[in-house]
């Protein structure tokens, strides 16, 4: 009989005496592309729908998302951004043209356009992050879209917006000049895009006091040459440079692996791959440091998350996937890594909000379910905009075959009301961890918090069983003389307030 190896023993020092910079709340940003059933059905059902809605946007999804305090929302793509022409999506809906969605399939009715997106962002209380079209659009089209949205003047375009129902201009604090221009956004070389970026960015104009942070298309994975060229040629024209990284259980785009049918081998391989983002961020940041030692330009990880094979029988282009306890652990680990790099990483956008890739929410017509990833984002809200508190974690490795990952990941922060929060993720699906924690520079008198775990690695929430994976109060702590011992269950995400 196999011996029970018992808990991993780990130690953690929370350096409350050495606070660092701020964890930008935009690290908790989201992404909504015209893709599959994200916009149409997931968010927009139309005013005449039997699904309860406010001006066409479904009430159940909005209510759930509001709980996450979504700080900003990126739209309309993704690859779709470089085929989107904003004039198609304004004016009376029955007059809007229907266009093929060349990136993802089907026909877009354009029922959801600028006004509907801005309405959604306002309902959520989220900042608008608009992704402009460089691949098939002109600088003039980009310039005029910004004027339409943000000008309070008596110009023809500002008046067209008023005529279409919006008197006051909107705020557009973030605007990206293209998307993945090394791929679906135009298959460009970095030198060519750097020049084009400089040209287009010149026409991203500010109107009526609307301050815009201009974002350039950055690299993916370990394409460091792209970052080098963009920073060398265009850093002074940008406020942010993006980075995209998707976690696949395999590294093979043709056979990514199943979202739900997997064993420990795939669990472990997924964690090995997701942790690589730490190295990618460090190395892209080091290149950025060379050209921008003051760290003025943010590294915006505006697409990240898991990407699995489509379920058999489902539309491959819709990128719909289920979400399990594995995704929750991936989310927790990535958020902890983003915190650590908060000095350079100012924004991230998980891909994507509803029904696409590592979604917060899944819908089936009128039904809705919150995913394990949703719960992690809700539990981690406490870190938004808080001050990063460094952590020193010493934990054994979780090994499988020849590969190994740390068994634990941790992050801490202090919010503006002085409350100290700690998030701990146990990556090992079999062994609990016993963590001895001390807080330097602070006394802990009590602990409250939540744990997200489940009996199976592939536990998920379905429309029939929506609460299989949900947070529960955390009871695994002992506190004696400012020394805290935490018992963190296998495959779990824990967020605590240390009082
Ligand atoms: O998120 C899905 C797609 O992944 C986006 O449209 C694109 O930018 C990326 O390749």
């Amino acid at each position: 009989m196999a011996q029970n190896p018992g808990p991993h023993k780990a130690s953690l020092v929370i350096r409350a005496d050495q606070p660092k910079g701020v964890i930008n709340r935009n690290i908790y940003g989201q992404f909504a592309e015209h893709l599959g059933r994200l916009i149409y059905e997931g968010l927009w059902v139309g005013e005449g729908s039997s699904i309860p809605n406010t001006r066409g946007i479904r009430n159940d999804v909005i209510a759930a998302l509001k709980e996450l305090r979504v700080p900003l929302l990126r739209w309309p793509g993704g690859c779709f951004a470089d085929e989107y022409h904003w004039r198609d999506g304004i004016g009376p809906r029955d007059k809007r043209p229907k266009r093929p969605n060349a990136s993802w399939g089907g026909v877009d009715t354009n029922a959801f356009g600028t006004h509907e997106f801005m309405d959604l962002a306002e309902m959520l209380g989220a900042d608008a992050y608009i992704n402009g079209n460089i691949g098939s659009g002109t600088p003039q089209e980009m310039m005029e879209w910004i004027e339409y949205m943000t000008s309070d003047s008596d110009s023809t375009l500002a008046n067209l917006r008023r005529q279409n129902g919006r008197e006051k201009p909107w705020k557009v604090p973030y605007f990206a000049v293209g998307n993945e221009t090394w791929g679906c956004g135009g298959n460009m070389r970095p030198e060519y895009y750097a020049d084009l970026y400089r040209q287009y960015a010149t026409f991203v104009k500010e109107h009526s006091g609307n301050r815009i942070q201009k974002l350039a298309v950055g690299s993916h994975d370990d394409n460091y040459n792209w970052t080098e060229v963009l920073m060398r040629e265009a850093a002074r024209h940008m406020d942010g440079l993006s980075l995209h990284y998707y976690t696949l259980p395999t590294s093979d785009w043709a056979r990514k692996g199943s979202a739900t049918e997997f064993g420990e081998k795939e669990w472990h391989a997924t964690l090995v791959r997701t942790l690589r983002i730490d190295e990618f961020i460090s190395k892209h940041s080091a290149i950025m440091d060379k050209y921008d030692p003051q760290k003025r330009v943010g590294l915006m990880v505006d697409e990240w998350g898991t990407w699995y094979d489509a379920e058999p029988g489902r539309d491959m282009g819709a990128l719909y996937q289920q979400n399990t306890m594995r995704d929750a652990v991936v989310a927790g680990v990535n958020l902890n890594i983003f915190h650590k790099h908060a000095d350079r990483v100012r924004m991230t956008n998980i891909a994507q909000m509803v029904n696409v890739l590592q979604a917060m929410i899944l819908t089936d017509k009128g039904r809705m379910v919150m995913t394990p990833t949703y719960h992690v984002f809700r539990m981690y809200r406490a870190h938004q905009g808080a001050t990063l508190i460094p952590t020193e974690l010493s934990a054994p490795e979780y090994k499988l075959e020849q590969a190994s990952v740390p068994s634990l990941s941790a992050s801490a922060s202090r919010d503006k009301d002085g409350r100290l929060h700690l998030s701990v993720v146990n990556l090992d699906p079999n062994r609990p961890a016993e963590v001895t924690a001390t807080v330097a520079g602070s006394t802990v008198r009590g602990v409250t918090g939540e744990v997200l775990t489940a009996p199976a690695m592939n536990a998920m929430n379905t429309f029939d069983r929506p609460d299989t994976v949900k947070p529960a109060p955390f009871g695994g702590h002992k506190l004696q003389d400012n020394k805290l011992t935490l018992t963190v269950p296998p495959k779990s995400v824990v967020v605590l307030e240390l009082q």
Side-chain angles (χ1 to χ4, degrees):
M1 205 162 74
Q3 265 193 327
N4 180 348
H8 287 296
K9 302 270 188 191
S11 70
L12 175 69
V13 182
I14 302 163
R15 305 285 346 186
D17 54 343
Q18 292 174 13
K20 290 256 192 140
V22 166
I23 298 170
N24 195 311
R25 60 195 290 267
N26 289 338
I27 282 178
Y28 288 81
Q30 304 259 341
F31 174 30
E33 178 167 13
H34 287 236
L35 196 178
R37 290 181 298 114
L38 198 166
I39 298 290
Y40 300 106
E41 182 185 312
L43 292 165
W44 174 262
V45 289
E47 284 154 340
S49 172
S50 58
I51 300 171
N53 67 83
T54 303
R55 296 182 294 283
I57 297 169
R58 57 192 293 172
N59 295 344
D60 54 351
V61 172
I62 290 294
L65 289 171
K66 277 177 113 162
E67 288 293 308
L68 302 185
R69 299 190 201 127
V70 178
L72 102 160
L73 183 56
R74 176 177 183 233
W75 174 83
C79 294
F80 183 81
D82 282 298
E83 58 174 274
Y84 184 66
H85 299 282
W86 68 272
R87 281 191 170 82
D88 289 347
I90 58 166
R93 283 192 203 102
D94 58 349
K95 301 261 180 339
R96 296 185 192 175
K98 294 185 174 146
R99 307 276 188 213
N101 183 328
S103 294
W104 305 110
V107 167
D108 198 305
T109 62
N110 278 303
F112 190 90
T114 301
H115 289 251
E116 291 77 12
F117 170 71
M118 289 298 191
D119 198 12
L120 166 68
E122 283 182 348
M123 283 183 200
L124 292 173
D127 279 346
Y129 168 11
I130 300 282
N131 206 118
N133 175 350
I134 198 173
S136 67
T138 62
Q140 182 180 1
E141 183 186 12
M142 200 178 261
M143 182 173 77
E144 290 180 350
W145 192 10
I146 295 164
E147 181 190 334
Y148 180 87
M149 291 185 286
T150 61
S151 170
D152 203 14
S153 74
D154 188 28
S155 76
T156 300
L157 281 174
N159 284 329
L160 181 60
R161 184 196 66 239
R162 294 188 182 100
Q163 196 184 310
N164 287 332
R166 174 72 183 199
E167 177 59 33
K168 284 275 139 218
W170 294 289
K171 291 284 176 212
V172 178
Y174 305 95
F175 192 95
V177 179
N179 168 72
E180 294 194 352
T181 42
W182 36 262
C184 65
N187 287 308
M188 301 173 197
R189 293 174 308 112
E191 292 78 6
Y192 179 71
Y193 172 65
D195 279 347
L196 216 52
Y197 171 81
R198 289 165 60 130
Q199 180 194 349
Y200 275 64
T202 307
F203 300 96
V204 175
K205 302 275 189 200
E206 295 183 337
H207 298 269
S208 312
N210 178 64
R211 295 266 83 87
I212 301 184
Q213 291 208 25
K214 299 178 194 179
L215 311 187
V217 173
S219 182
H220 63 95
D221 308 10
D222 59 355
N223 182 355
Y224 300 117
N225 181 50
W226 186 278
T227 301
E228 182 80 40
V229 176
L230 263 289
M231 288 302 291
R232 188 181 68 221
E233 304 299 338
R236 71 178 186 280
H237 302 279
M238 65 175 83
D239 299 295
L241 183 66
S242 66
L243 172 66
H244 289 183
Y245 179 57
Y246 284 100
T247 299
L248 279 60
T250 66
S251 32
D252 180 359
W253 281 92
R255 283 161 182 244
K256 296 179 274 296
S258 164
T260 53
E261 303 292 316
F262 60 87
E264 189 173 352
K265 193 164 166 245
E266 292 80 11
W267 167 281
H268 193 276
T270 305
L271 297 176
V272 168
R273 296 209 163 77
T274 215
L275 284 161
R276 292 209 67 198
I277 201 164
D278 196 2
E279 166 198 335
F280 298 148
I281 292 174
S282 297
K283 292 187 174 165
H284 288 291
S285 297
I287 297 168
M288 295 174 81
D289 286 349
K290 233 172 40 173
Y291 297 96
D292 174 34
Q294 305 302 323
K295 299 189 194 288
R296 188 190 61 78
V297 180
L299 181 61
M300 316 307 211
V301 188
D302 65 4
E303 289 186 30
W304 68 273
T306 53
W307 194 326
Y308 307 116
D309 290 329
E311 281 173 27
R314 285 210 188 249
D315 173 7
M316 296 238 314
L319 307 189
Y320 177 85
Q321 63 191 35
Q322 248 295 0
N323 193 295
T324 67
M325 197 56 225
R326 177 175 61 172
D327 295 271
V329 166
V330 165
V333 163
N334 276 272
L335 291 168
N336 288 350
I337 291 171
F338 298 148
H339 295 174
K340 189 173 81 171
H341 293 283
D343 59 340
R344 183 63 87 174
V345 175
R346 314 266 166 74
M347 171 200 290
T348 89
N349 304 78
I350 189 166
Q352 300 194 12
M353 193 176 230
V354 189
N355 288 337
V356 169
L357 299 178
Q358 193 175 349
M360 304 293 121
I361 286 176
L362 303 175
T363 67
D364 177 16
K365 303 188 181 73
R367 299 198 291 173
M368 178 196 90
V369 72
M370 271 106 67
T371 65
T373 299
Y374 171 96
H375 292 303
V376 173
F377 270 66
R378 197 199 49 73
M379 289 162 70
Y380 270 62
R381 283 181 317 192
H383 290 303
Q384 289 189 15
T387 300
L388 180 67
I389 300 293
T391 49
E392 292 160 8
L393 176 66
S394 170
E397 291 288 293
Y398 158 43
K399 295 187 184 135
L400 195 75
E401 295 171 359
Q402 302 311 314
S404 136
V405 293
S407 55
L408 293 173
S409 157
S411 186
S413 70
R414 195 182 284 288
D415 71 14
K416 62 175 177 13
D417 298 319
R419 289 175 300 212
L420 188 60
H421 292 99
L422 170 69
S423 45
V424 182
V425 183
N426 186 348
L427 285 73
D428 191 319
N430 305 311
R431 294 174 67 177
E434 201 176 287
V435 185
T436 310
T438 47
V439 183
S442 206
T443 309
V444 181
R445 293 194 179 80
V447 176
T448 56
E450 289 179 303
V451 54
L452 186 74
T453 189
M457 289 181 287
N458 63 349
M460 68 190 103
N461 294 333
T462 64
F463 297 101
D464 295 325
R465 290 171 185 249
D467 290 327
T468 304
V469 186
K470 69 166 187 196
F474 180 75
H477 62 275
K478 282 196 205 114
L479 185 60
Q480 209 172 27
D481 305 329
N482 203 28
K483 200 167 124 194
L484 182 62
T485 310
L486 305 171
T487 303
V488 183
K491 52 173 152 26
S492 70
V493 179
V494 171
V495 180
L496 303 174
E497 182 184 326
L498 310 181
Q499 293 121 347

